[in-house]
Amino acid sequence: MSDIIWKGSPNHYVGRNGYGVTHITLHIMVGYLAGTDATFANQSSRASAHYGVGATGEIHQYVSELDGSYSDANYASNNSTISIEHEGGMADGAVCTQECIDASARLCADIARRYGWKKLWHDGLKGNVWLHREIPGTDHLSCPDLAPNGLPYRQIIDQANRILEGGTMSNAGDEVWNWAYKPNGKNATPGGNMYNLLTYELPQRIRDSIMQYSYKGSAPGGNVYNTICFEIPGMLKQLTKTIETQQKQISELSEKISKLEEATK
Ligand SMILES: [Zn+2]
C-alpha cells in the first residue's frame, strides 16, 4: 500500500527468530494515534506494533514486517504476527471511526494478499486474525473489542474479505468468455456462447422489443407502423402550425415598429 507513513520504533526484534508470519493481531490504542507514535518512539516503553491506524484513516508503520514487534506480550506471537493498533477505546475521548475501520480493512486485505491468505477469519488462536486479549501472557483483557468504544473487529474482517473476493475479478476476460449462455436450457461451449449471443440472440431481442412496443395499446408490430405513419406526421403538422402563427405575430410586430419610426421622423 502506497499511503503508509513510516514512523519507525526502536522496540522490535531483529528478524523473527525463526518464526514465519502466520496471523494478524488486532489492538486498540485506548488513546490517539499521536500518543501511540510517542509511546512507540520511546525506547523505555519497550512497546511497539507494526502498524497504527488513526481516526482519519491515516496508517503509520513502526516496525518492518521482517521483524517481530513488542506488541502481544507473548514471544511466539510477537515473532509470528503482524500487529495493528487502532485509535479508539475510550469512554470519553478517542473512538473507532469508520475511516479507521475502512483503512484497517484495506491494510488487512493487503497483508492477506501478500502472504497468500485467501480469506481472513477469527477463531480464537486458530484463525489468521487474533485478538490481543486472547493471547496467553497479556493483561490487556479488553483489547481490542471489549474496551468502551472498542474495535468492531468483525466489520474489519468482513470488509477485508470483500476486498479479497473482489480481487478474483482480476481476470474479467475469462469470466466473460466462460460465461454460460444457455439457449433452450443447453449449455453451449465457452466462447461460442458469446458469439451466439451477439450474432443471433441480441438482434432477435432488439427486433422483438421494437415490434412488441405497445403504441397506445394497438396491435404489436402495427404499433411501429402506426407511429411512423400517423403519429409523427400529426406532430409535424402541429409544429408547422405553431411556427406559422409565430411568423404572423412577428410580421405584425415589425409593421407596428415601422409605423412608430415613421411617426417620430
Ligand atoms: Zn493490544
Side-chain angles (χ1 to χ4, degrees):
M1 277 168 66
S2 57
D3 53 347
I4 294 171
I5 299 165
W6 174 261
K7 289 284 175 181
S9 166
N11 308 324
H12 61 83
Y13 297 103
V14 176
R16 286 186 173 272
N17 297 300
Y19 290 84
V21 173
T22 56
H23 60 281
I24 292 168
T25 305
L26 298 176
H27 301 264
I28 192 90
M29 293 173 188
V30 192
Y32 298 92
L33 184 63
T36 297
D37 286 353
T39 302
F40 291 174
N42 179 0
Q43 189 157 11
S44 64
S45 77
R46 304 288 294 159
S48 69
H50 291 90
Y51 298 100
V53 187
T56 62
E58 193 167 296
I59 302 173
H60 291 178
Q61 185 170 7
Y62 309 97
V63 175
S64 163
E65 289 184 17
L66 299 174
D67 298 328
S69 58
Y70 298 168
S71 53
D72 295 2
N74 178 299
Y75 179 79
S77 188
N78 279 346
N79 280 293
S80 56
T81 193
I82 293 174
S83 266
I84 306 175
E85 284 280 1
H86 300 84
E87 183 166 316
M90 296 173 77
D92 194 14
V95 298
C96 288
T97 64
Q98 192 60 49
E99 287 86 347
C100 178
I101 291 161
D102 292 347
S104 183
R106 283 193 299 118
L107 177 59
C108 287
D110 183 65
I111 291 166
R113 251 182 215 145
R114 286 188 286 104
Y115 288 87
W117 306 337
K118 294 233 180 320
K119 60 171 264 192
L120 292 167
W121 79 100
H122 167 252
D123 180 14
L125 304 185
K126 286 179 253 165
N128 53 15
V129 176
W130 294 12
L131 307 180
H132 188 196
R133 64 177 165 81
E134 294 175 329
I135 299 171
T138 186
D139 57 357
H140 293 191
L141 299 179
S142 58
C143 181
D145 55 323
L146 301 181
N149 291 308
L151 191 72
Y153 69 91
R154 279 179 206 287
Q155 206 182 319
I156 291 175
I157 292 172
D158 290 347
Q159 213 166 307
N161 281 332
R162 279 197 293 275
I163 295 170
L164 289 170
E165 282 162 20
T168 61
M169 276 299 287
S170 59
N171 201 341
D174 283 352
E175 302 248 335
V176 171
W177 189 250
N178 292 321
W179 176 72
Y181 166 58
K182 295 172 181 172
N184 307 318
K186 284 181 188 170
N187 195 356
T189 48
N193 290 342
M194 288 308 291
Y195 178 80
N196 287 338
L197 179 73
L198 294 173
T199 311
Y200 304 114
E201 181 78 0
L202 210 54
Q204 191 170 335
R205 281 193 203 177
I206 291 168
R207 198 177 59 218
D208 287 354
S209 76
I210 290 172
M211 292 310 279
Q212 285 161 14
Y213 163 73
S214 178
Y215 168 64
K216 292 186 179 174
S218 66
N223 291 342
V224 179
Y225 178 81
N226 288 339
T227 307
I228 294 169
C229 293
F230 304 114
E231 181 79 354
I232 293 174
M235 285 194 273
L236 283 174
K237 218 180 279 175
Q238 188 58 46
L239 199 62
T240 309
K241 229 184 258 178
T242 307
I243 291 169
E244 280 171 356
T245 309
Q246 283 174 343
Q247 272 176 338
K248 206 175 156 202
Q249 286 170 338
I250 290 166
S251 302
E252 285 170 2
L253 204 60
S254 306
E255 239 168 79
K256 271 185 197 168
I257 290 167
S258 300
K259 276 180 191 165
L260 274 171
E261 280 176 345
E262 281 301 318
T264 52
K265 268 183 188 169

